[in-house]
Amino acid sequence: MTENSPALSLGVRENFTLDDRIRGVPPGTSGLDSSLVGSQRWHPADGRMSLPVLTLDEAAFAGNRDLFLRYAREQGVAVAPHAKTPMAPDLARTLVEAGAWGTTVADVRQATVMLRAGLTRLILANEVGGAGGASRLAALVGAWPDAELYVFADSVAAVKALAEAWRAQPGLPPLRVLVELGAGRAGARTTGEAEAIADAVMAAGGRLRIAGVATYEGAAAQPEPSRTDEVIGVLLEMTRDMLLRLRARLGEAPLIVTAGGSVFFDKVVAALLPTVLADAHATLVLRSGAIFFHDHGTYDRSLGLLDARQGFTIGGEKASARQSFRPALRIWSEVLSRPEPGQAICGMGMRDVSCDQGFPTPLSVYRAGKPVSGQLADAKVVKLNDQHAFVSLAPGTELAVGDVVEFGISHPCTCLDRYRVIFGVDETGHVSHAFPTYFG
């Protein structure tokens, strides 16, 4: 795609059956083929859909996709979006079809989901554990021997477990291992530990292969921004140094260096790209995932901080990431009660929406399916129960029982995992697609 190419639309290849046991599906619906969902003309505010329900603004998602992939192309980096965010193969596939290098997963089961969907270049951005995890990974690779799979390792013990599993099955192709460095979560803490991991991989008799180096800078974030800069800087410098050490060991073998969530990807590019560009056989792979969904909370604030450090560039010019990326997810909930003048109770709670990094944000009101303005001035979610949202209202607010409130969310990862189906909506707000999820 060029910068002037039309955006690729979203599509669904997985047909399945919808019925009213699934969140959002209207009561009385049974045996509806998911390919027909667009013809139903459902709208989350018109009273037919079961509430609460999660929707995906397809135009916003496609715009975020095309913008971030354009950024990556212009910077000269690759992207393997983290599929754990939606666990929706159709959405992962549209990212690859639009130009993503591959897909990232967090465990063996997630890898299975993506492999079954035809996504065969995967980074398993996590350790798999000991002998049990290594044997499960070997079983997966045995079922998908042609897959291009990369796995993290941050200890000699983990490497030995992988080597034993691979020696036990000589028919398996060599496993690509990424030496993981880390701070705040998993990952070797010193260059010496990382070198020992590389030694163990090379001692596996060819059953394992060093494929590069990996880290996750987001786990290194600190309460103090200045301290965050320091810790992330040290981690990325250690990662860069380890890439050079691996290059000295391996000659011209292809290597990847991978990092980059949805908050500090600019720091990753600034710290690692110059070394990668100087290496004709290395690739920098970002693993950002939530940025394709964005939000009205934690990622909105994080992109504000990215803008403050002028970290986003498009077309050779500094740009505002916060203004360029659009929140794509919404939760729709009905007003159940107005027990007090300054309070509304909506039918949405901790079982329905993320709250680990901020409460949802009231955005708009619909009454009898039509938008109503002026009802949410100073409105704020102040508390969540299992199934209830406590919304604080300004004096005189005429929000009524039965009104449908559209909320923005904070933190896509812990919202999407509550839904078996993500309903994509078009520019009119009507449901156009149903994307199945596979959270387990």
Side-chain angles (χ1 to χ4, degrees):
M1 282 178 54
T2 65
E3 283 71 28
N4 295 321
S5 298
L8 293 171
S9 61
L10 305 189
V12 176
R13 295 186 190 174
E14 293 188 77
N15 279 356
F16 60 104
T17 300
L18 289 164
D19 63 39
D20 51 11
R21 293 173 296 178
I22 296 171
R23 290 173 183 259
V25 177
T29 302
S30 178
L32 176 67
D33 190 286
S34 61
S35 65
L36 301 177
V37 70
S39 66
Q40 307 301 302
R41 300 298 292 167
W42 296 341
H43 191 292
D46 69 5
R48 288 185 294 165
M49 297 188 76
S50 177
L51 300 183
V53 68
L54 174 74
T55 61
L56 173 74
D57 181 330
E58 294 191 8
F61 180 86
N64 294 341
R65 173 199 64 195
D66 296 342
L67 178 62
F68 195 71
L69 293 179
R70 177 184 173 185
Y71 165 83
R73 287 194 305 273
E74 291 180 356
Q75 295 293 323
V77 304
V79 183
H82 212 316
K84 71 177 175 64
T85 301
M87 280 308 297
D90 282 317
L91 297 179
R93 186 184 297 108
T94 192
L95 295 171
V96 171
E97 290 176 345
W101 175 90
T103 303
T104 297
V105 294
D107 58 36
V108 171
R109 188 198 65 84
Q110 291 183 9
T112 302
V113 171
M114 297 304 153
L115 287 167
R116 287 186 176 276
L119 298 164
T120 57
R121 178 186 272 171
L122 301 177
I123 297 175
L124 203 168
N126 206 349
E127 285 67 36
V128 298
S135 66
R136 292 190 295 274
L137 183 63
L140 176 73
V141 174
W144 302 91
D146 296 326
E148 186 178 338
L149 179 66
Y150 301 78
V151 63
F152 283 16
D154 74 343
S155 69
V156 171
V159 172
K160 288 182 176 179
L162 292 169
E164 289 174 6
W166 254 250
R167 289 192 189 102
Q169 298 193 47
L172 296 179
L175 179 65
R176 300 171 183 86
V177 178
L178 299 171
V179 178
E180 187 192 8
L181 301 166
R185 202 167 68 180
R189 295 302 198 257
T190 68
T191 299
E193 292 172 356
E195 289 274 25
I197 295 165
D199 289 341
V201 173
M202 297 185 74
R207 300 305 294 130
L208 308 180
R209 179 196 307 166
I210 296 176
V213 59
T215 193
Y216 175 53
E217 75 292 342
Q222 306 289 311
E224 285 292 325
S226 61
R227 179 64 177 152
T228 292
D229 291 343
E230 178 184 349
V231 175
I232 290 178
V234 169
L235 176 61
L236 293 176
E237 173 56 28
M238 190 165 64
T239 303
R240 186 193 73 84
D241 177 67
M242 193 61 200
L243 175 64
L244 294 173
R245 290 170 182 265
L246 293 181
R247 175 57 66 216
R249 286 172 176 254
L250 300 171
E252 295 184 349
L255 295 173
I256 69 170
V257 54
T258 178
S262 298
V263 175
F264 301 111
F265 60 85
D266 60 316
K267 291 180 177 290
V268 170
V269 172
L272 300 180
L273 185 59
T275 300
V276 170
L277 291 178
D279 185 330
H281 304 285
T283 303
L284 175 57
V285 182
L286 303 178
R287 303 192 307 276
S288 312
I291 198 162
F292 298 100
F293 298 89
H294 196 37
D295 68 10
H296 285 88
T298 185
Y299 284 103
D300 178 61
R301 295 188 294 270
S302 295
L303 290 192
L305 296 175
L306 190 152
D307 286 347
R309 59 182 183 261
Q310 296 188 315
F312 190 63
T313 302
I314 284 290
E317 301 289 337
K318 296 294 183 184
S320 169
R322 192 175 198 175
Q323 294 178 14
S324 299
F325 291 94
R326 295 166 52 197
L329 297 173
R330 303 289 191 275
I331 296 287
W332 302 77
S333 174
E334 196 167 23
V335 177
L336 304 182
S337 176
R338 284 296 315 272
E340 300 172 11
Q343 185 181 79
I345 307 296
C346 291
M348 167 193 72
M350 292 184 290
R351 296 182 182 271
D352 311 301
V353 68
S354 49
C355 56
D356 58 316
Q357 297 189 40
F359 287 145
T361 300
L363 299 176
S364 60
V365 176
Y366 287 75
R367 184 170 295 159
K370 303 296 183 181
V372 179
S373 62
Q375 299 304 309
L376 294 178
D378 300 321
K380 183 179 180 181
V381 175
V382 295
K383 179 182 175 181
L384 293 175
N385 288 162
D386 279 3
Q387 315 285 173
H388 299 90
F390 295 73
V391 183
S392 173
L393 301 172
T397 300
E398 297 180 357
L399 194 65
V401 170
D403 288 349
V404 174
V405 182
E406 175 189 12
F407 292 87
I409 64 101
S410 180
H411 196 192
C413 299
T414 54
C415 187
L416 287 157
D417 65 359
R418 290 161 165 79
Y419 291 85
R420 291 169 56 193
V421 175
I422 304 167
F423 288 102
V425 297
D426 62 19
E427 66 279 358
T428 70
H430 289 88
V431 171
S432 52
H433 296 105
F435 301 100
T437 67
Y438 293 85
F439 286 103

